[in-house]
């Protein structure tokens, strides 16, 4: 198995199965599904994204989980964990809409949600036509080996992104703010991923065209 594919599998497994004190994506979704205060799934997902985003503003949240995720390539501290937390959020959204997080299409769409607009390019380069909508239905006829190819391509993008000096040092732009800046960046990324996921997994005609602004 290639290193990029190992990276994405490690991120997905950590996010879907749970990391340290964080429960699994399915467990997280079930908490919201059992909560009768929400009128519908959209209200549940609103609250889910808001709560998970809020966690990432907490200084040291990701760094506290940093030693719990082992990846096959060296990544900046907290970056792999940030992706795992995002994968957990996406998996929970998929579960709320009735999907199995172990399904290949769910895993691929989770990765596409994490990379945002880059996902459109990855799918196009894989030679897959998804018309104007990308979602579970669009990937129904895509063979497993093609999904694996998309996953590998996303892995290359993530590893490449991790190696960009500007991104690695983003939290150092304002040295005195350190953790606050890093927390804000992580939270904004998580919110964007959540917004993309709710479109990718929206049932039927509610699915929006394309990807989110990434």
């Amino acid at each position: 198995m290639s290193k990029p594919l190992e990276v994405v599998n490690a991120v997905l497994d950590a996010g879907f199965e749970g990391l340290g004190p964080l429960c699994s994506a399915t467990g997280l979704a079930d908490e919201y599904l059992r909560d009768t205060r929400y009128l519908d799934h959209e209200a549940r997902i609103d609250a889910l994204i808001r709560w998970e985003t809020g966690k990432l503003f907490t200084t040291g949240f990701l760094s506290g989980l940093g030693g719990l995720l082992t990846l096959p390539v060296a990544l900046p501290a907290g970056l792999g964990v940030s992706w795992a937390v995002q994968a957990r959020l996406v998996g929970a959204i998929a579960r709320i809409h009735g999907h199995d997080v172990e399904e290949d299409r769910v895993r691929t769409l989770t990765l596409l949600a994490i990379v945002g607009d880059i996902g459109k390019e990855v799918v196009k380069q894989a030679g897959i036509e998804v018309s104007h909508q990308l979602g579970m239905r669009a990937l129904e006829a895509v063979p497993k080996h093609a999904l694996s190819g998309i996953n590998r391509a996303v892995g290359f993008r993530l590893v490449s992104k991790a190696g960009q000096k500007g991104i690695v040092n983003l939290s150092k732009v304002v040295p005195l703010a350190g953790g606050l800046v890093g927390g804000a960046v992580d939270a904004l990324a998580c919110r964007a991923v959540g917004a993309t996921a709710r479109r990718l997994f929206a049932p039927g005609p509610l699915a929006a065209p394309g990807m989110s602004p990434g």
Side-chain angles (χ1 to χ4, degrees), residues 109-162:
L109 286 176
T110 297
L111 294 173
L112 293 176
I114 291 174
V115 295
D117 268 346
I118 294 175
K120 289 187 294 185
E121 181 183 343
V122 169
V123 172
K124 183 177 179 180
Q125 290 179 346
I128 297 172
E129 290 293 334
V130 293
S131 184
H132 295 296
Q133 293 185 341
L134 181 61
M136 289 293 287
R137 188 180 301 276
L139 297 184
E140 281 181 353
V142 177
K144 186 172 182 177
H145 70 84
L147 293 177
S148 180
I150 294 174
N151 296 355
R152 184 181 296 105
V154 170
F156 275 113
R157 297 306 180 98
L158 292 179
V159 172
S160 174
K161 184 176 181 179

Side-chain angles (χ1 to χ4, degrees), residues 54-136:
K55 285 181 184 178
L56 298 186
F57 273 112
T58 304
T59 302
F61 176 77
L62 291 181
S63 61
L65 298 174
L68 299 176
L69 176 62
T70 301
L71 292 173
V73 296
L75 295 178
L79 190 54
V81 173
S82 178
W83 290 333
V85 170
Q86 292 169 17
R88 177 174 176 263
L89 170 63
V90 178
I93 291 173
R95 166 71 174 179
I96 287 174
H97 279 308
H99 302 295
D100 180 358
V101 297
E102 295 303 318
E103 188 177 352
D104 291 331
R105 288 181 300 163
V106 171
R107 293 175 70 88
T108 295
L109 286 176
T110 297
L111 294 173
L112 293 176
I114 291 174
V115 295
D117 268 346
I118 294 175
K120 289 187 294 185
E121 181 183 343
V122 169
V123 172
K124 183 177 179 180
Q125 290 179 346
I128 297 172
E129 290 293 334
V130 293
S131 184
H132 295 296
Q133 293 185 341
L134 181 61
M136 289 293 287

Side-chain angles (χ1 to χ4, degrees), residues 34-47:
R34 288 193 298 266
D35 196 325
T36 58
R37 292 176 298 173
Y38 302 112
L39 295 177
D40 53 29
H41 287 345
E42 287 305 302
R44 289 185 175 89
I45 292 172
D46 280 338

